[in-house]
Structure formats: structure tokens, C-alpha cells
Amino acid sequence: MSGVSIIWQGCKLNGSHDKPSPWGLRGESFRFYSNQTNHNNPPKTIHHKKGAPPAHSVPGANITMTNRERALNILHYKPYDRMPAVHFGYWPELLYEWAEQGKIPLALAQSWGDGNAADEELDRLIGWDFNWYRTAGAHTGLLPGFEHKVLEVLPDGTRRVQNGDGLIEKIRPGVTSIPSEDDYLLKDRAAFEELYKPKMQFSPARINYEYFKNFNETRRYDVPVGLHLGSVLGSIRSMVSVVGMSYLIYDEDEELFADIVDTFAEMQYQCAEEILATGAKFDFAHYWEDICYNSGPLLSPEIFNELCAKHYKKRNDLCHKYGIDIISLDCDGVTEKLLPTWYENGINTMFPIEIGTWGDQFEAARNKFGTGMRGVGGMDKTVLRRDKAAVDRELVRLRRLSALGGFIPCPDHRLMPGTKFELVQYYAEEIKKIK
Amino acid sequence: MNTELLNEISEKLQRGKAKDVSALVNQALEEGIAPDVILNDALVVGMNIVGEKFRSNEVFVPEVLVAARAMNAGLKILNPVLADAGVEPIGTAVICTVKGDMHDIGKNLVRMMIEGQGIKCVDLGVDAAPEAVVAAVKENNAQLVCLSALLTTTMGGQRDVIEALCEAGIRDTVRVMVGGAPVTKEWADDIGADCYTLDAASAAKEAKRLILEMKKG
């Protein structure tokens, strides 16, 4: 039996991962920057002799690098002092579980978000170096969004709610899983032209120019910070559900779906262009897609390529023009069949390389694409619910993958309920021993 | 019999042309083709081909969904005629996503594929309690229970349903099939399920086999 996976797992629970929040700030916040002036000094750069072999570490070297240097050096096959302990956040339920167990203060569970102060405090308590999801960007969703409204309350208390994307969801009281998709507004050409197209246009209101003008002075330099490029297809899928996307692809109006994708992508390109033109400097760029599940892509790779390749290329070429050479893409599930489109059009870092029930995907991608393909992720987070021996076995595997270069282990998604606090601490400690 | 017409229905179904399938099913009935022949030699054949192509990665979720939509368009016309003719489905399955889990796309895909085998599906939707499954099995004399879970945190709900079937004393009257992204053969064995499949097309094939086995006794 097939289950459309992880596409949503953890992400929509706190709404912080799958779609940009207003201003598209993930991890980074104005308050966060203004309170962290100690991070403003650019790091000392470690110089290496030109032509030195691409060592994966600096054996015996008495050098301390910042986490930003570690991460970027690894992804550029340059020497590094040790592996950074990188994570990808938590299911909120886990944090409440840990708070109940007395492992963390309740306030951290209540206020956690990617890269915020609570996240950093958790990093300190656990021993993590940083959360990979630290990006800033534009508001690349519908603007304005649709009104959130309850359309109906069913006898069992289930609410039918129209969300900001125009998707109608069923939310059942007491169920912490994501809502089920019930209906959607974007069904035909008329709905696109009248309801959606105006909301998919570029507008200066999508960008906080003031923030990006001061970005280089206020951003942190001890951790990598990325430009969020939005999503070519994932956000559209969120607007219409998998079923709706399927029907739109095969609509009698054969141009409709391509028009939707093109309109939405063009706006996102303009957002990236505007942000980069402010002079803001980023360490990497990043997409969110989540367009695969446990059996592969949610649509044919050929159709995906036809619809999306040109948009990735255009956006990634722009990034290259501004010196951004690490471009990662967040897609859960079995991504193998879409990797060629991504890789050939400039995406060179897989994230979070979910293990699921299908196993590692990074090594196969490396074998296929060579060292041009990097990865952040690929750590089977489920071992953190088991025991130390399971973590040790996973560490053996991760050491081997790390030795390939261009790979930073990171739990393959949000840590889920049942994860043992002490095992996470142990993993964070041990992963730093990879040199 | 107009085999050309039946082939055309099958072909339109595979291409997801719901309106064409409706029109052609009507035409077939008008030409006097028996409804069970239209069902089995056109609609089911078409869905089987889609299922096989899905399994071998020749087609993907959208193609299955539009084909299933076309199949439903045909069934809408055919079902009352089949009922009038006394044609019974080959069996009945109760299907749901287990308690605590609201994901339904994988479950819906499986349901569509199973229906494509000529099996009646009683769909309990998402977040289905074990007692609701037990009640549905009893009420519909189902031979098969299909349980979907998408999350590692909810897959335990599959075990809960099997335990509820045991407690109700009807475990031996049904076969239980489990699936979903975190589910494995090992998990299925561990909780005492009868069958695990990786994808919807395989699930439909196994569903038919299990039901026919049950009927043989």
C-alpha cells in the first residue's frame, strides 16, 4: 500500500518549514540579528596553499573554525577541523515530551522555531552546532493570501477550513497529524485568472528592502546563512493538493498548469533578483519542494522537467552571477528520478536525504553525478528513538559517507516524538569527532 | 461483441479521459454489451494496465488519479445497471487511515486501485478508530481490511486494529493488509498483518488474491 509520505511529515505541524512565513524569514529574524551583535565580525579565514589536495580534515592542525567555515569547506571539498553537529529541528510534540520529562524548560517548547533564540538554547543544551534551516528571503507565496476561514463544523467536531492558499482542509480536534486536504479553489482557468494570478505577481511589498540593505552588517558569520528561493512546484502543490495538481496537469486546457507554474516562478525569480541586487551576501541558496513520496516523484519526471527545468536554471544562473555556488533543495521521499532535472539545472546539494524505509540515497547520487553533488542530511533519525548501539551503527555509516567529501550528516527530518534526549546529546557529541 | 469499443473504453480510461469513458460506456450499453463485460473487459482491464505501468514507473500518481477518475465516471453509469442485473462485486474491503493520522492520498490511491479490480470498498476515511473498523467489517461482511498509516507515530494504530479484530472474535474472517510510508514487511509480520505491499498497484493485486483465497476457503 502506498502512502504519500513525509511530504508533509513534520513540516506543516508548525508551519515553519514548508512555506515562507511573512517576509520569508526562516531562522533569521530582525530581533535575532539586532540582539546578536557579537556575531557581526566576519570570521578569520583559514588559508590553504593553492593546489593542496582536497583533504577532508586538517589532521593535527591546531585550528578552530567557525561552523560556517566548517560547513562551507566541507561542501567545497576543502580542509576542515571537524564535522559540525547539524540538525533540522523538531516536531513540536517532541519538545513538549522533553519538557514533560524535565529535559528542557517548557518555555523552549512553546517558543521554538528554526534558528530562533529557543532553537539556539536547545542547541546549547543538546550540543548541536546549528540548525541547517537558517535562510532569509522574500514572501514568495500568494500575496495577499486567502482569508483563513472555517467553512463548516461537522457533527464530530471536524472543522472544514479554507487556508491562506485557498486549500480546504479538514481539521479534526485532538489529532496532531496534519489536516487532510478536502477541496481547493484553483480548479480551472477562470479561478486562476481571477483568484490566483493577481496574488502571484511581484510587488515590492514582498521584500523587506531595509532588512536586506543592512543584511551584511547584521547577519551572523559563524553559521551558514542561505537565500530562500521559494519553490517551483511544491507551493503550487500545497495550493491545490496532490489530487488537484494531478487533475490540473491533465486539464482539458493543456496550457493551464504550465501557465500557473510560469506565473508563479517568474514572481519568485524577481524576488530573488531584487534581494540579490541589494548587495546582501549569502552562503548558499535553498529551495523547498517536497514533491516526492516513498515510491518516487509525485509526477512524471518528464513532465516535471518540462514544467520546471527552465525555472530552476534561470534562478540558479542568477545565484551564480552573485557568487552563490551552493544551491540546496529540500525534498523528502525518494528523489532519485528528479535529481537529473535539479542537478543539470544548478542544484548541487541534496537535503535532507530522507532514509525512510528505502535506505540511503546519497551514495547512489554521488556515484551517478560525481563530486558535483553534495548532501546535507542522510542521518537516520529513527535511531535516536532506539539505543546507543543503534546510534553507533549509524555513526559508522555516516563516517563512511563523510569520507566521500561534500557531505554533512544531519537528521533526515524533524526529530519526532519518542526521540531520546540523551541519545541526541550522544549523537551530537560523537558526530563532531569526524575529522 | 464490439471488442473495438471495449478497447477504446480501456484506452480512454488509461489516458484519464473521463468524459469520453462516460460516453463510450453509454454507447456500449446501448449496443447491448452486458454491464459485467464492460466492467471486466474494459474498465478493469484499463485500470490493470495503469496499475502495472505505475508499478514499473512508466506512469506516476497523476496518471493513476486521472485514470481512476475516468473509471469512476464509467462506474457511475454502470453501477445501477450492474445492480439491476444482479452482478456482485468479487468481494468487499474496508479501508481507512488509522487513528490519529489524517493522511489520505495513499489510502485513496489504494482504494481506487482496489475498486479497479471489481472489489467493493467501504472507505472509513482518515483517523479511523479500531472499533469503527470492526463495526464496518461486521456490517459489510468484508473479507479484507486495508490499513494505511503515514507516520511512524501513528503506525501503531495498525496493530490496534488487528488487536480489536481479535478481541471481537472476527480476526479469522478477514485478511489484513497494511501499508504507508514508514511501514515495512517486518512491521507487518510483527503486528500479525497478512500482507504488506510497497505500492498501490501491488496492493490491488494482492487484495484480489486475498479475497479470492478467502472465498475459496
Side-chain angles (χ1 to χ4, degrees), chain A residues 175 177, chain B residues 97-103 126-128 148-151 154:
Chain A
V175 176
S177 161
Chain B
T97 303
V98 296
K99 184 82 183 158
D101 198 325
M102 298 291 279
H103 297 88
V126 297
D127 187 32
S148 175
L150 194 92
L151 305 172
T154 58

Side-chain angles (χ1 to χ4, degrees), chain A residues 92-107 109 421:
Chain A
E93 289 88 340
L94 173 63
L95 296 180
Y96 284 100
E97 207 173 276
W98 283 351
E100 267 182 33
Q101 293 165 5
K103 311 286 185 194
I104 64 169
L106 181 62
F421 187 81

Side-chain angles (χ1 to χ4, degrees), chain A residues 154 271 342:
Chain A
L154 302 176
C271 286
W342 287 326

Side-chain angles (χ1 to χ4, degrees), chain B residues 62-82:
Chain B
E63 290 79 10
V64 175
L65 289 173
V66 293
R69 182 172 62 170
M71 169 121 189
N72 283 336
L75 282 176
K76 204 171 167 184
I77 298 161
L78 221 46
N79 275 338
V81 190
L82 285 166

Side-chain angles (χ1 to χ4, degrees), chain A residues 406-427:
Chain A
F407 175 77
I408 300 174
C410 170
D412 60 347
H413 213 287
R414 308 284 199 194
L415 296 183
M416 57 195 169
T419 298
K420 295 173 183 168
F421 187 81
E422 286 77 13
L423 284 183
V424 183
Q425 286 181 313
Y426 174 68
Y427 167 77

Side-chain angles (χ1 to χ4, degrees), chain A residues 1-5 8-9 170 172 175 177-178 180-181 246-247 250 252 293-294 297-298 300-301 337 357 416, chain B residues 19 54 57 60-63 65 69 100 102-103 105-106 110 126-127 146 150-152 179-182 184 197-198:
Chain A
M1 197 183 294
S2 165
V4 176
S5 75
W8 307 287
Q9 185 176 323
K170 278 185 175 171
R172 195 164 288 195
V175 176
S177 161
I178 60 114
S180 66
E181 297 163 335
S246 303
Y247 291 172
Y250 284 93
E252 284 173 20
Y293 71 127
N294 63 326
L298 281 167
S300 128
K337 292 198 182 316
T357 54
M416 57 195 169
Chain B
K19 283 181 189 166
F54 182 58
N57 280 331
F60 294 83
V61 173
E63 290 79 10
L65 289 173
R69 182 172 62 170
M102 298 291 279
H103 297 88
I105 295 165
V110 173
V126 297
D127 187 32
C146 306
L150 194 92
L151 305 172
T152 43
T184 60
T197 58
L198 182 63

Side-chain angles (χ1 to χ4, degrees), chain A residues 39-45 66 68-69 216 219-222:
Chain A
H39 295 301
N40 289 346
N41 296 329
K44 289 174 187 167
T45 307
T66 67
R68 175 172 175 255
E69 288 170 323
N216 298 340
R219 62 155 282 180
R220 284 179 59 172
Y221 284 94
D222 61 332

